[in-house]
Amino acid sequence: AMEEVCAKFVSQKISKTRWRPLTAAALHPPDVFATGSWDNEDNRISIWSVGDLGNAGVNGEYQGEPQLLCDIRHNGDVMDMQFLDQERIVVASSTGTVTVFRHHQNNQTLSANHWWEKAHYHVDQDTSCGGAACTGVICNNPEIVTVGEDGRINLFRADQKDAVRTIDNADSSTLHAVTFLRTTEILTVNSIGQLKIWDLRQQRNEPSQIFSLTGDRVPLHCVDRHPNQQHIVATGGQDGMLSIWDIRQGTIPVSLLNAHEAEMWEVHFHPSNPDHLFTCSEDGSLWHWDTSTDVSEKPSFLHQGGRSTTYFSHNTINHSVVSAWLSNDPTKDRMEITNLIPNQTLSVNSLDILGPCLVYGTDAEAIYVNRQLFA
């Protein structure tokens, strides 16, 4: 069952993998992705193609491994990376700098298009070693929001030299990730288990709402917002738990789901089929969470190849919502979880999902592409 996954071994630990967004008119599946690396002497931003390149097998399935189109050196570890549009990629560095790279598709080169030196810093921007890691970036073209180890939030606009807005002491702890809730609102997660909502129209430098994990103040590393229901948010953190939040009510998660045995590094709702959610972890696993209701009609691929598939119920404290993620109807209260990579040992640092295609990167210096996720 694993032959639909192709691996590419690269001489770098991969920290981030991202599909290039499709144009609105595109009918084909995604065919280009970017990777960033970390913990190497020379870190790189690389652009890869999984286009069919005449390698289609008998059933038209893709058989070749990803091809490197171009790459460029990156100063510092790649902490996060997001496409701004078809050509530009925004990269967050452990040095605190945020760089916009441009992919020139006519001659397959990458160049640094624009950068904000030490967008994040510990003491002041001028000291030579004062940079603080930029841990997260999110784009809503032309706007770019970054967060960092310094507890700072920046709002940039592509091609503008200075930040549009900076919230200097947004958090006294490290901010690990950020997502847009709507065009004027962002949500951050921090190293003491809190979610904070910020309204960028307000000049105040305080969050409009704060949510927190009860009890242990577990560091949260990742966050994603449900693509259709903006009040539903998923987070993951150091204890490997998946938390589902309804930001319209209460200040604690509506569901806490046992997940990984170590840090969860990324969580992503499927952008067009959000009953499906994906998480990856330091423990070497990548889980597909499926809440689509009728278990009996699940695609058969979930049961192939000895993958561990478990069913379990979760209790929620929610009564008013249709989303399966918040459902408390016992007949729907079943979720199917599949570890898509049962025998991986090193950390799966990043994943991205678009259409039928999954790409993920690991500390085993490999990138993996599955183009038939729902086959």
Side-chain angles (χ1 to χ4, degrees):
M2 300 302 280
E3 58 270 12
E4 71 269 25
V5 178
C6 57
K8 173 83 176 179
F9 291 92
V10 291
S11 52
Q12 311 230 351
K13 291 183 182 172
I14 299 295
S15 56
K16 290 291 156 184
T17 58
R18 297 287 180 252
W19 288 111
R20 182 174 74 187
L22 292 167
T23 56
L27 297 171
H28 56 88
D31 54 1
V32 170
F33 65 90
T35 60
S37 69
W38 79 289
D39 196 28
N40 307 287
E41 275 182 40
D42 255 352
N43 289 306
R44 305 194 84 75
I45 306 297
S46 307
I47 306 281
W48 306 85
S49 168
V50 289
D52 289 327
L53 302 171
N55 285 342
V58 281
N59 302 322
E61 77 279 12
Y62 172 74
Q63 289 185 316
E65 58 179 29
Q67 305 291 314
L68 180 66
L69 295 177
C70 50
D71 65 354
I72 193 170
R73 198 166 167 273
H74 178 264
N75 194 16
D77 291 341
V78 173
M79 303 293 288
D80 199 5
M81 180 164 74
Q82 300 289 338
F83 275 89
L84 180 67
D85 54 26
Q86 295 282 301
E87 295 183 337
R88 289 177 295 176
I89 309 163
V90 184
V91 180
S93 172
S94 57
T95 65
T97 295
V98 176
T99 308
V100 183
F101 290 96
R102 187 178 286 274
H103 174 210
H104 305 275
Q105 296 172 42
N106 53 351
N107 62 357
Q108 293 305 342
T109 57
L110 273 165
S111 64
N113 183 234
H114 194 89
W115 56 92
W116 295 279
E117 194 99 22
K118 290 203 186 128
H120 295 272
Y121 54 91
H122 279 306
V123 193
D124 59 81
Q125 269 172 304
D126 304 324
T127 49
S128 59
C129 59
C134 176
T135 50
V137 58
I138 193 80
C139 301
N140 185 13
N141 191 7
E143 299 196 315
I144 298 164
V145 175
T146 69
V147 296
E149 242 172 41
D150 53 358
R152 192 174 267 107
I153 298 172
N154 292 305
L155 171 62
F156 296 110
R157 212 159 271 139
D159 305 324
Q160 284 192 18
K161 186 163 120 15
D162 297 315
V164 178
R165 172 95 190 269
T166 294
I167 304 178
D168 265 330
N169 299 305
D171 213 298
S172 55
S173 58
T174 295
L175 289 169
H176 280 141
V178 58
T179 190
F180 274 102
L181 289 177
R182 44 183 69 83
T183 48
T184 56
E185 266 189 334
I186 57 165
L187 185 147
T188 58
V189 298
N190 71 12
S191 60
I192 56 169
Q194 293 174 321
L195 279 66
K196 297 182 182 180
I197 296 178
W198 307 82
D199 185 338
L200 297 172
R201 291 166 305 190
Q202 301 288 333
Q203 284 313 299
R204 299 182 310 121
N205 288 346
E206 278 88 48
S208 52
Q209 273 179 284
I210 300 179
F211 303 81
S212 57
L213 291 170
T214 46
D216 299 337
R217 295 162 87 85
V218 174
L220 290 170
H221 291 301
C222 54
V223 58
D224 196 26
R225 189 205 81 204
H226 191 290
N228 316 332
Q229 295 181 284
Q230 287 157 321
H231 54 277
I232 300 176
V233 170
T235 63
Q238 188 166 295
D239 57 2
M241 296 278 278
L242 174 63
S243 304
I244 306 293
W245 310 71
D246 180 347
I247 59 172
R248 298 170 311 181
Q249 52 184 1
T251 56
I252 59 170
V254 290
S255 308
L256 281 171
L257 304 170
N258 273 313
H260 301 278
E261 289 163 28
E263 289 92 345
M264 184 189 296
W265 293 129
E266 287 198 350
V267 55
H268 291 291
F269 285 101
H270 191 289
S272 52
N273 192 352
D275 283 349
H276 299 266
L277 178 137
F278 298 81
T279 58
C280 63
S281 168
E282 178 73 26
D283 68 9
S285 61
L286 191 159
W287 285 16
H288 173 187
W289 306 70
D290 181 356
T291 63
S292 52
T293 43
D294 189 356
V295 173
S296 65
E297 291 180 17
K298 286 291 158 58
S300 62
F301 82 96
L302 288 171
H303 303 287
Q304 297 165 352
R307 303 184 189 180
S308 53
T309 299
T310 37
Y311 297 97
F312 70 95
S313 289
H314 60 282
N315 296 314
T316 70
I317 50 172
N318 189 301
H319 303 284
S320 60
V321 183
V322 265
S323 169
W325 289 106
L326 305 180
S327 153
N328 68 323
D329 171 353
T331 59
K332 293 183 178 157
D333 210 13
R334 307 197 56 205
M335 188 175 316
E336 192 166 23
I337 303 160
T338 312
N339 179 9
L340 297 182
I341 37 175
N343 306 316
Q344 160 76 13
T345 51
L346 293 176
S347 179
V348 182
N349 295 322
S350 182
L351 72 96
D352 196 27
I353 176 97
L354 188 57
C357 301
L358 166 72
V359 59
Y360 57 95
T362 74
D363 273 353
E365 305 197 339
I367 44 184
Y368 298 85
V369 177
N370 180 340
R371 297 184 83 205
Q372 300 174 343
L373 197 59
F374 299 105

